[in-house]
Amino acid sequence: MFGARTVLLEGGVRRGELFSDTAFFFDQGTRIELRGVRTNFFTEAGALEGTLTSREGTFNNRSQVMEARGDVVVQSQDGRRLTSPELRYFITENEIRSDSSFVLTRPGERLTGVGFRSDPNLRNVRIFRTTGASGVALTPPSSQAPPATAQPSSPA
C-alpha cells in the first residue's frame, strides 16, 4: 500500500497517528512493515506532543508496539530532540524505549548514552547508561537506584 495512515489507539484514546510512504502487510494483517515513517504523538486531550520520523519500521497491532529503525528522530513540541538508530513505541504504556545508542538535545544541552525510556514528549527520560553530557543537570544513579534521569533545566 502506498501513502498508508493508521491511527494508534489505547483504550479508545488517540495516542498517535502513523504515516508511511509504503506499507507491506504480513501475518494476516497483524504485522505491517513500513518505509518512510512519520508518527505524530498526542496527549490525552488531543494536542500534538511530538513527532517521530525514521526510514523504516514495523507496527504489530497485536502487541500494540511500533518499532522504528534507521535514522530515528523524535522531536518534541518544545524543542527537545532525540536521535537513535532504533526505538520502540509501546502504545499501551505511551512510552518510547531503546537499548541502542542515542543523542538527546535541547538548546544549550546535549546528552549521549546507551538505552533509555521516555514519554513521547521527552520530558521524563530515564537513561540506562550515560556516555557524555554538556549543559545537562543529571541525577547520577547509585548502586541500587533506578537509572539516571535527565532533569529539564529551569527557564532563565
Side-chain angles (χ1 to χ4, degrees):
M1 176 184 292
F2 298 105
R5 175 183 173 265
T6 302
V7 176
L8 307 175
L9 298 172
E10 194 279 312
V13 176
R14 180 179 70 160
R15 291 316 228 156
E17 222 171 1
L18 173 62
F19 300 90
S20 68
D21 295 338
T22 309
F24 303 92
F25 295 81
F26 298 95
D27 302 328
Q28 299 174 344
T30 61
R31 178 173 56 98
I32 307 169
E33 293 297 327
L34 309 162
R35 302 295 179 266
V37 178
R38 188 181 90 237
T39 303
N40 294 326
F41 301 112
F42 298 97
T43 66
E44 287 186 7
L48 180 67
E49 70 176 339
T51 302
L52 174 149
T53 58
S54 68
R55 282 189 314 215
E56 60 185 48
T58 302
F59 174 58
N60 186 315
N61 61 22
R62 278 190 194 162
S63 64
Q64 292 295 290
V65 175
M66 195 272 297
E67 180 178 330
R69 297 178 304 276
D71 301 325
V72 181
V73 176
V74 178
Q75 182 78 42
S76 72
Q77 289 298 99
D78 64 357
R80 289 178 176 87
R81 178 182 169 98
L82 183 134
T83 59
S84 181
E86 67 86 26
L87 64 75
R88 290 169 301 287
Y89 173 51
F90 293 81
I91 299 164
T92 57
E93 298 168 40
N94 195 37
E95 185 174 76
I96 58 174
R97 301 180 199 162
S98 180
D99 55 6
S100 294
S101 61
F102 69 89
V103 177
L104 176 63
T105 57
R106 67 181 254 172
E109 300 175 350
R110 178 182 166 91
L111 181 98
T112 59
V114 177
F116 69 89
R117 294 174 87 147
S118 176
D119 59 291
N121 197 27
L122 304 173
R123 288 203 180 273
N124 299 303
V125 181
R126 292 175 42 109
I127 299 159
F128 300 127
R129 190 177 73 171
T130 303
T131 58
S134 63
V136 179
L138 286 178
T139 306
S142 67
S143 59
Q144 295 186 338
T149 304
Q151 301 295 326
S153 47
S154 58

